Amino acid sequence: MHELRQLQQENASLEAKIRDLSSSHNEMLQLRKDMQKLQQTNEMNESRLNQLEEENESLRHRSVSY
């Protein structure tokens, strides 16, 4: 009887650990998705910044010409 109770306690403990790990895993997956979105946004922003820098340089050359 004592062994059965001990096994039930161990089983309950393992189930709790599995729930915790599953939750942590899901959070990690969501963080990875968020990180990918941030990287994509960063790449888009860098591209737009480069575009604006080129436009700015072009406008500088035009203003010097006048």
Side-chain angles (χ1 to χ4, degrees):
M1 242 2 205
H2 177 70
E3 288 179 24
L4 180 58
R5 271 186 261 166
Q6 186 178 0
L7 288 173
Q8 289 172 333
Q9 288 174 343
E10 287 178 19
N11 189 33
S13 177
L14 289 172
E15 286 177 356
K17 286 180 183 178
I18 289 171
R19 281 193 300 273
D20 288 344
L21 289 173
S22 178
S23 175
S24 295
H25 181 74
N26 289 336
E27 288 176 26
M28 182 193 66
L29 292 176
Q30 185 59 47
L31 287 171
R32 281 186 179 168
K33 287 179 187 178
D34 292 345
M35 190 173 77
Q36 287 176 341
K37 286 180 187 177
L38 286 172
Q39 287 174 337
Q40 289 173 345
T41 300
N42 188 41
E43 289 171 4
M44 288 173 38
N45 288 340
E46 284 182 25
S47 176
R48 182 64 179 136
L49 179 61
N50 288 336
Q51 234 179 354
L52 291 171
E53 287 173 344
E54 289 173 8
E55 289 176 24
N56 191 22
E57 189 66 28
S58 176
L59 290 171
R60 279 190 189 137
H61 287 297
R62 282 191 210 165
S63 69
V64 171
S65 300
Y66 290 111

